[in-house]
Amino acid sequence: MFAFSIVLGLIILFIVSQILKVFDLKGSLAALVVGLIIVFFGSLQWLILLLIFAVVSHFATKAMFDMKKARKLQEGEHGERSTSNVLYAGIIGLAIACINFAHTLLNSAPFGYFELFAISFSVINSDTFASELGVVDKNVYMITTFKRTTPGVNGGVSLTGEAAAFFGALIIGVSYSILAFGTLRIVPIVFVTGMGFLGCQIDSILGALFENEGKMSKGQVNFFSAFVSVVVSALVLL
């Protein structure tokens, strides 16, 4: 009955995502599959965190959308995300969920897989908030040279963008703490938020060095920035 309720809920969310244009059709199907894997290989709390990420990142994407569209900085035609967005954003979380499931089957000692899962999405959410909300700031500097550059360019940072990046990571940090412990715990919030914000800076550096040169795609930059943050976090937790 529980499994049926989860599947039904995800199907409803799939329909809602199409109505609100959160994803294109293939992106919604990919998100549905990701959600199913996350909830059964992780837990319901993992799925809730994933949904929080999807909702708040969509709000950031739709913020000031007309202005971003006029500057050709918008995501998709109406702010919708594609399959590649879903996979690059969720592939590390999926891997962590699978490792968690295998760990459970082996009855091994508990490890902070949910925290690593949260950190992977803290990075992506931090980057989304930075790129979607930071474009309003005209004082943008290239992270590798600190020279003035154009708003919206890969690797460009601003005070508004950095504040938005921190807030995006903080949302996931606070959500993780509530879902994992039922209350606000400073250390987990600081850790998840800090590693998410760090990953966003790595994303900007990779964007400046490789994405602008056509050597990496936006999705690949997202993946590697989240991967580095998760690996560093895992070493800390060990």
Side-chain angles (χ1 to χ4, degrees):
M1 185 64 183
F2 173 75
F4 175 77
S5 298
I6 293 296
V7 172
L8 179 61
L10 286 171
I11 291 174
I12 292 173
L13 288 172
F14 166 81
I15 296 172
V16 172
S17 72
Q18 284 294 286
I19 295 173
L20 298 180
K21 299 185 185 301
V22 178
F23 307 106
D24 60 22
L25 179 58
K26 291 181 179 179
S28 289
L29 289 171
L32 177 63
V33 173
V34 168
L36 286 170
I37 295 173
I38 292 300
V39 72
F40 290 114
F41 282 16
S43 71
L44 182 59
Q45 284 76 16
W46 293 43
L47 178 62
I48 292 172
L49 185 65
L50 179 64
L51 293 176
I52 290 172
F53 159 74
V55 170
V56 298
S57 63
H58 181 64
F59 278 131
T61 299
K62 295 294 287 185
M64 301 166 290
F65 188 77
D66 289 340
M67 181 202 74
K68 287 184 283 194
K69 190 171 184 178
R71 298 181 184 179
K72 299 186 184 302
L73 297 174
Q74 86 281 6
E75 189 73 38
E77 184 64 27
H78 305 285
E80 71 278 8
R81 303 273 171 168
S82 65
T83 306
S84 61
N85 294 127
V86 174
L87 292 180
Y88 278 118
I91 191 168
I92 293 178
L94 280 174
I96 294 170
C98 291
I99 295 171
N100 173 75
F101 182 70
H103 197 103
T104 303
L105 290 179
L106 294 173
N107 294 315
S108 302
F111 189 69
Y113 290 116
F114 186 26
E115 193 162 9
L116 295 179
F117 178 82
I119 287 168
S120 72
F121 284 101
S122 180
V123 174
I124 304 300
N125 205 47
S126 181
D127 174 63
T128 300
F129 270 59
S131 59
E132 295 292 349
L133 303 180
V135 293
V136 301
D137 198 328
K138 295 181 180 179
N139 297 313
V140 181
Y141 300 86
M142 185 61 66
I143 193 170
T144 50
T145 63
F146 297 105
K147 293 181 179 179
R148 288 289 294 268
T149 188
T150 307
V153 70
N154 300 314
V157 296
S158 65
L159 287 177
T160 303
E162 292 299 283
F166 178 79
F167 184 62
L170 180 63
I171 291 174
I172 301 300
V174 170
S175 300
Y176 163 74
S177 179
I178 294 173
L179 289 169
F181 308 108
T183 187
L184 297 178
R185 291 193 178 181
I186 298 301
V187 173
I189 291 174
V190 170
F191 187 55
V192 173
T193 301
M195 295 309 298
F197 184 75
L198 173 64
C200 181
Q201 308 315 304
I202 295 172
D203 186 286
S204 295
I205 293 171
L206 291 176
L209 296 178
F210 300 105
E211 189 176 355
N212 285 337
E213 299 297 323
K215 296 178 180 179
M216 293 179 73
S217 67
K218 178 178 178 60
Q220 290 171 331
V221 168
N222 289 160
F223 170 81
F224 280 107
S225 57
F227 178 76
V228 171
S229 288
V230 166
V231 170
V232 172
S233 300
L235 293 175
V236 172
L237 292 176
L238 283 173

